[in-house]
Amino acid sequence: MKIIPYGRQHIDNNDINAVRKALSNKLITTGKEVTRFEDFFSKKVGAKYSLTCSNGTAGLMLAYLALGTNEKNVIIMPSINFIASYNMADFIKAKIYLTDVDPKSGQMRPKDLKRCIKVNKLKKISTVVVMHNGGIPCDMKEFFKLKNKFKFNIIEDACHALGAKYDISKSHKVGSCRYSDLTIFSFHPLKNITTGEGGMVTTNNKKLFEKLILFRNHGILRAKTNYKKYAWNYNVISSSFNFRLNDFQCALGISQLKKLDKFVKRRREIVKEYKNRLSSMKEYINFTDQNKEKISANHLLVINLNLKKMKISRDQLISKLFQKKITTQVHYIPIFKFSIYKKFYKKNFFLNALEYFKSSISLPIYYNLKTKEIDYICLQLKKIIK
Ligand SMILES: Cc1ncc(COP(=O)(O)O)c(C=O)c1O
């Protein structure tokens, strides 16, 4: 048995051919594949505007820049989180506040946000970054009510949530920015679709979109050109980065996006296969996504362990599974645990985040994971835990 990773991309011949074809285009960056990918993405998620960028982290930075974030602004985000949203806000020197989370899903809930605002006596909040941990959409309707009450911007970190919907009855998709100002996606190989490295920002706000375009390309403002008039001249109106994604990556993105529904469907089946095989383990294992796999992008399969019933710790379980060639992960180590951000830790404030962190692991889930591998993983889990 080979090592089973916890996530892996799926690249087929159509993807390879799409990249090969794009490499023979005249322009291999800032060419037609970029706009094709952006237009296709907008259609797929139901947003007015989509902007490709070099990765999800760049997307988060672009969102902060487009919103005009500076050192006077307050940004709130969950403590169970990938470090990118925190790092980028810290880079801008914004005033960052972390919330506690739901102990099962690791997600920030509206009540966690309200508590953070109250305890820290926050008056003016610039932006709240919501993260759909695992691919399960957060309670955006409630966050939207708070947005209207407190007048803050919402950025959705949807790096896990491409393919997710906000509710079962309607087809409102994550990425449509129905409840937010901007939504960010990552196309890292472990995500639901990949461009190697890559990202996308969606919005319905034209002004924000124009700012995203500006900040993606060094803060350069260029006059519109046509075949009669060659506009070589340009102005720089802000300092910024080169956060562009090239054409062959965008061609791969288009080819991958065509397969998104198939990818998500298989992930949903995998969740069911795990649940069936582990149904006798309810005493020890809880699935955090409960009955939400129909709206979830099923990016991660996080389980919560009932450590009181178990003879081994979460860390021991991870090493024992690894001895059996099964790779797992923890999503995520709370941000306040890292040495650089320890100073923000508040005693007794993040109790749920700590509980979630201690008891959760992510099991392997990806399009190519075979049913016989799921059988093996579940068998090993049962043997080790029991
Ligand atoms: C929740 C979340 N946010 C942001 C990012 C950053 O994306 P990228 O790796 O494309 O920069 C990731 C990727 O790992 C992520 O999982």
Side-chain angles (χ1 to χ4, degrees), residues 331-362:
H331 292 94
Y332 286 97
I333 302 168
I335 288 179
F336 54 77
K337 286 242 169 211
F338 296 122
S339 48
I340 167 173
Y341 298 131
K342 250 188 191 149
K343 54 185 181 245
F344 301 113
Y345 178 66
K346 274 200 180 113
K347 204 164 179 256
N348 295 332
F349 187 75
F350 299 110
L351 297 178
N352 293 337
L354 288 168
E355 186 186 326
Y356 168 87
F357 170 58
K358 251 196 282 170
S359 62
S360 71
I361 61 170
S362 302

Side-chain angles (χ1 to χ4, degrees), residues 55-57 60 82 84 131 157 159-160 186 188 191 197-198 332:
N55 50 59
T57 310
L60 285 159
F82 185 58
M131 200 273 273
D157 179 341
C159 288
H160 296 180
S186 161
H188 178 275
K191 299 296 186 278
E197 295 280 358
Y332 286 97

Side-chain angles (χ1 to χ4, degrees), residues 194-341:
T194 188
T195 57
E197 295 280 358
M200 191 77 82
V201 186
T202 61
T203 184
N204 294 323
N205 181 321
K206 191 164 183 241
K207 284 205 174 114
L208 286 179
F209 184 57
E210 281 164 359
K211 288 199 175 138
L212 293 171
I213 295 173
L214 179 79
F215 287 115
R216 178 176 64 174
N217 192 32
H218 308 279
I220 287 178
L221 197 65
R222 208 183 273 275
K224 280 232 158 73
T225 179
N226 64 38
Y227 69 97
K228 284 188 195 143
K229 188 168 174 272
Y230 174 56
W232 58 270
N233 199 358
Y234 61 87
N235 191 11
V236 179
I237 60 167
S238 173
S239 57
S240 195
F241 304 86
N242 170 0
F243 278 157
R244 298 187 303 260
L245 190 68
N246 70 44
D247 275 60
F248 43 98
Q249 286 180 294
C250 288
L252 177 56
I254 295 165
S255 179
Q256 286 265 304
L257 193 55
K258 285 181 188 162
K259 293 187 275 276
L260 175 68
D261 298 345
K262 184 173 89 170
F263 286 168
V264 173
K265 187 167 169 262
R266 175 63 193 137
R267 284 173 178 272
R268 193 167 296 147
E269 282 163 15
I270 289 174
V271 174
K272 277 195 190 143
E273 287 177 21
Y274 271 113
K275 279 187 173 174
N276 287 340
R277 282 156 186 74
L278 294 172
S279 61
S280 62
M281 296 288 285
K282 285 199 178 114
E283 211 184 325
Y284 308 98
I285 291 174
N286 269 309
F287 287 86
T288 65
D289 72 341
Q290 305 294 341
N291 294 314
K292 288 197 177 158
E293 68 256 22
K294 282 201 179 120
I295 56 167
S296 173
N298 295 290
H299 173 57
L300 299 175
L301 184 62
V302 180
I303 54 168
N304 302 126
L305 303 166
N306 188 354
L307 292 169
K308 283 184 201 127
K309 298 261 169 173
M310 285 169 48
K311 292 199 182 80
I312 55 168
S313 68
R314 191 271 319 264
D315 294 8
Q316 284 168 327
L317 177 62
I318 291 175
S319 350
K320 281 183 188 287
L321 285 169
F322 192 64
Q323 281 163 17
K324 299 289 175 194
K325 304 197 171 192
I326 301 163
T327 317
T328 54
Q329 248 304 347
V330 176
H331 292 94
Y332 286 97
I333 302 168
I335 288 179
F336 54 77
K337 286 242 169 211
F338 296 122
S339 48
I340 167 173
Y341 298 131

